[in-house]
Amino acid sequence: MRIIPLGTSSGKPTLNRNVSATAVVGEGEWWLFDCGEATQIQIARAGLSPHKLVGIFITHLHGDHFNGLPGLLSTMALDKRERELIIVGPPGIRDYLDLLGRLRILFINYSLRVRELSPEYFTDRLQELVYESAKYTVVTRPLDHRIFALGYRIEEKMKPGRFDVDKARELGIPVGPLYSKLQSGEEITLVDGRVIHPLQVLGPPRPGKSVSYCLDTRPCENAVVLARDVDWLIYEATYTREFIEEARQYGHSTAAQAAMTARESNARHLLITHFSSRYPDAWPLLEEARNIFPETTMAEDLMEIDV
Amino acid sequence: MRIIPLGTSSGKPTLNRNVSATAVVGEGEWWLFDCGEATQIQIARAGLSPHKLVGIFITHLHGDHFNGLPGLLSTMALDKRERELIIVGPPGIRDYLDLLGRLRILFINYSLRVRELSPEYFTDRLQELVYESAKYTVVTRPLDHRIFALGYRIEEKMKPGRFDVDKARELGIPVGPLYSKLQSGEEITLVDGRVIHPLQVLGPPRPGKSVSYCLDTRPCENAVVLARDVDWLIYEATYTREFIEEARQYGHSTAAQAAMTARESNARHLLITHFSSRYPDAWPLLEEARNIFPETTMAEDLMEIDV
């Protein structure tokens, strides 16, 4: 998997940083987390194919996380998209798309599945599985912003253990289709009647890679849970620590709080983003986070991170 | 006055051309015609101050002319705009802004005056004055697109004739406040009792500069009227002439039709824009227009034209 930040500024774009959007790229499919204005341009600059985009996951309905949606959806219609697209986010998205359709601002000619999750939905459950394909899952939990916001975690499914070719030879299994059967978890019977169980030739199952996306939010338990043992935690660092009161008031986190969340959740790496435009230079934010969590990277628009 | 195209691509942005928006800049105020996605970024790149933006004139509600509105309005709120802003366009803008406000996608904390003009409004009038300041006016007329669309003309008011200092000296008018009175059109009485009329020291009134903005549209009478004797006609040239049928079907014009409109209206200059992304290179469009109307310029994002 790869992470490509498409916009790393909070509130409004600067000449170097667009507003919030992050691509996470898997095998044959990719996902977009938030969709601020001009995200479709950033997607083109990053060289990503909109045809392989399968899901858009919106954290909350502030414009700087959301205003790029109609442009991206329209362009995919102009480009004759055929694949179904899912959009997940807080309530309001459907009303918004309906009005845009009625006003003829937006035309969509492919299948669009909108899944809205309200605060009430989480009164009797902790998290929700909102996407599943053969290889990947996405779950969501509410975060703690000044309006309802969702955090996400995308995970590659457990991969089968590595196939031990030497062991297979020792057992006298003929090279060919029986190998694939064992690899996919099936027992086989050899011509001499011996039954071979997959575990005899497969190593231990390997955990898939994982990425969490938590913005906008104050530090909260659900962000820690979403980021538990994750390979990369993408987390907002809107302010430096001297603005902790402002962060609390507006429902944001400081760089230090981002780092503490990464440490508490045992994340392997932290990617900080969503920088206030008061920082023309985001290095103070990186320094503050690294003092607490050394494995911190500062997001730049269009950088690429190998998960 | 200056013209700064902010987006010159039709339908969707390319890596070199953003979607529709054009700034026309006057003295102490400027106006935005259309507001496609990422217009606020183009405004920043052009070095224009959003505080001096006084009016946004929307031609029609297709997303590529309109999707940048919420981002620009929000950023002006974040930047503590105080000046009133007017928005003129087809019906639907108020509903759209209301829904965005209710969903909390958009916050506006300055005075916003929305003026919607419907097709019905023009059943018993030909054009409407939609903006007037001390020095400028903007009028609008319906065009002929596949949905309701408006064209605009911005005009500097007539300027008083030049003050003839030699003549004033000859007449024995003392240098000072009497000069300003004459310049502003007042009669004065000298100490010796002589009455001086402004016309004795002023040359003939000078016509102001003018710019017309006509997209998206098929060739039509109202575009010709809006562009009558104009200094610069900004007009769409979505296609080359071999796609004239497609242009008609989708409510657009070819480059040749743009040029014929300029010629018929006796415009001094033509600025073609709104190029289909099928033309990675817009030179064929320019060539086609120049063969008919030599004073044609091809718009490029962020170029500056002195009116």
Side-chain angles (χ1 to χ4, degrees), chain A residues 178-219:
Chain A
L178 292 178
Y179 274 37
S180 325
K181 284 198 174 170
L182 286 163
Q183 257 171 326
S184 65
E186 271 182 68
E187 263 185 12
I188 58 160
T189 307
L190 298 180
V191 284
D192 59 11
R194 276 181 303 143
V195 172
I196 309 286
H197 190 272
L199 286 186
Q200 292 179 262
V201 293
L202 293 181
R206 294 164 294 161
K209 299 286 187 181
S210 53
V211 174
S212 298
Y213 183 83
C214 295
L215 48 142
D216 296 1
T217 190
R218 299 180 186 97

Side-chain angles (χ1 to χ4, degrees), chain A residues 12-13 15 18 37-38 40-41 45 61-63 66-68 71 75 79 92 96 99-100 103-105 107 147, chain B residues 12-13 15 18 37-38 40-41 45 61-63 66-68 71 75 79 92 96 99-100 103-105 107 147:
Chain A
K12 59 179 181 175
L15 290 175
N18 201 39
E37 184 176 0
Q40 65 166 320
I41 302 172
R45 288 196 181 120
L61 295 194
H62 281 153
F66 186 68
N67 283 333
T75 292
D79 290 346
Y96 169 82
L99 179 72
L100 264 54
L103 292 178
R104 308 182 64 171
I105 295 170
F107 295 86
I147 63 171
Chain B
K12 59 180 183 176
L15 289 176
N18 202 39
E37 183 175 2
Q40 64 165 320
I41 302 171
R45 287 194 183 123
L61 296 194
H62 280 154
F66 186 69
N67 283 334
T75 292
D79 290 346
Y96 169 83
L99 179 72
L100 265 51
L103 293 177
R104 306 182 68 170
I105 295 170
F107 294 87
I147 63 171

Side-chain angles (χ1 to χ4, degrees), chain A:
Chain A
M1 287 163 99
R2 285 177 302 146
I3 299 168
I4 307 179
L6 300 173
T8 57
S9 177
S10 76
K12 59 179 181 175
T14 69
L15 290 175
N16 304 315
R17 297 183 182 278
N18 201 39
V19 284
S20 291
T22 298
V24 177
V25 185
E27 273 177 57
E29 50 186 325
W30 66 276
W31 310 270
L32 182 62
F33 293 88
D34 283 329
C35 187
E37 184 176 0
T39 293
Q40 65 166 320
I41 302 172
Q42 297 293 79
I43 287 171
R45 288 196 181 120
L48 290 165
S49 164
H51 294 290
K52 292 185 179 164
L53 170 62
V54 291
I56 302 179
F57 302 92
I58 302 291
T59 56
H60 65 297
L61 295 194
H62 281 153
D64 58 318
H65 293 250
F66 186 68
N67 283 333
L69 197 59
L72 175 59
L73 297 182
S74 291
T75 292
M76 290 192 290
L78 284 176
D79 290 346
K80 306 196 187 340
R81 179 189 178 92
E82 292 183 348
R83 198 166 182 170
E84 180 183 74
L85 180 72
I86 72 155
I87 301 180
V88 179
I93 297 177
R94 204 175 279 124
D95 277 357
Y96 169 82
L97 294 178
D98 285 351
L99 179 72
L100 264 54
R102 277 202 308 283
L103 292 178
R104 308 182 64 171
I105 295 170
L106 184 66
F107 295 86
I108 296 178
N109 49 15
Y110 47 89
S111 167
L112 190 66
R113 199 149 45 91
V114 177
R115 175 86 194 272
E116 295 182 332
L117 294 147
S118 65
E120 295 69 37
Y121 190 80
F122 291 95
T123 49
D124 58 358
R125 74 202 82 198
L126 294 170
Q127 76 174 27
E128 181 68 5
L129 177 73
V130 287
Y131 179 79
E132 181 163 19
S133 65
K135 287 189 185 148
Y136 304 93
T137 58
V138 179
V139 298
T140 185
R141 285 175 178 247
L143 299 178
D144 179 20
H145 192 37
R146 68 182 186 278
I147 63 171
F148 181 64
L150 293 161
Y152 295 94
R153 177 185 178 119
I154 182 157
E155 227 167 54
E156 215 180 356
K157 292 180 177 174
M158 289 289 276
K159 290 182 282 195
R162 289 188 200 286
F163 190 86
D164 188 337
V165 178
D166 292 340
K167 198 69 170 289
R169 276 206 202 101
E170 255 174 54
L171 290 166
I173 306 167
V175 175
L178 292 178
Y179 274 37
S180 325
K181 284 198 174 170
L182 286 163
Q183 257 171 326
S184 65
E186 271 182 68
E187 263 185 12
I188 58 160
T189 307
L190 298 180
V191 284
D192 59 11
R194 276 181 303 143
V195 172
I196 309 286
H197 190 272
L199 286 186
Q200 292 179 262
V201 293
L202 293 181
R206 294 164 294 161
K209 299 286 187 181
S210 53
V211 174
S212 298
Y213 183 83
C214 295
L215 48 142
D216 296 1
T217 190
R218 299 180 186 97
C220 65
E221 184 56 26
N222 269 347
V224 174
V225 175
L226 283 171
R228 176 73 63 213
D229 300 325
V230 83
D231 288 292
W232 280 86
L233 166 59
I234 306 168
Y235 191 98
E236 68 149 286
T238 309
Y239 301 106
T240 44
R241 65 192 337 154
E242 69 257 44
F243 296 103
I244 190 163
E245 193 36 52
E246 204 160 344
R248 196 195 56 73
Q249 188 187 341
Y250 292 110
H252 288 296
S253 295
T254 64
Q257 290 173 324
M260 286 185 286
T261 302
R263 195 168 64 185
E264 202 180 327
S265 61
N266 195 36
R268 287 182 56 220
H269 303 275
L270 169 65
L271 180 66
I272 53 172
T273 186
H274 196 265
F275 309 124
S276 165
S277 59
R278 78 171 67 202
Y279 304 102
D281 165 356
W283 289 101
L285 294 155
L286 180 61
E287 196 185 351
E288 178 175 311
R290 278 200 178 153
N291 282 338
I292 295 165
F293 189 81
E295 287 301 319
T296 302
T297 297
M298 177 173 74
E300 301 285 357
D301 286 24
L302 304 179
M303 77 192 305
E304 287 205 27
I305 291 173
D306 240 314
V307 177

Side-chain angles (χ1 to χ4, degrees), chain B residues 131-175:
Chain B
Y131 179 79
E132 181 163 19
S133 65
K135 288 188 186 147
Y136 304 94
T137 58
V138 180
V139 298
T140 185
R141 283 175 180 247
L143 298 179
D144 179 21
H145 192 38
R146 67 181 185 278
I147 63 171
F148 181 64
L150 293 161
Y152 296 95
R153 176 185 179 118
I154 183 158
E155 227 167 53
E156 215 179 357
K157 292 180 178 175
M158 291 288 276
K159 291 181 281 193
R162 289 189 201 284
F163 190 86
D164 186 336
V165 179
D166 292 338
K167 198 69 171 287
R169 275 206 202 103
E170 255 174 54
L171 291 165
I173 306 166
V175 175

Side-chain angles (χ1 to χ4, degrees), chain B residues 54-91:
Chain B
V54 291
I56 302 177
F57 302 92
I58 301 293
T59 57
H60 65 298
L61 296 194
H62 280 154
D64 58 319
H65 293 251
F66 186 69
N67 283 334
L69 197 59
L72 175 59
L73 297 182
S74 290
T75 292
M76 291 193 289
L78 284 176
D79 290 346
K80 306 197 188 337
R81 180 189 177 91
E82 291 183 349
R83 200 166 182 171
E84 181 184 72
L85 181 72
I86 72 156
I87 300 180
V88 178

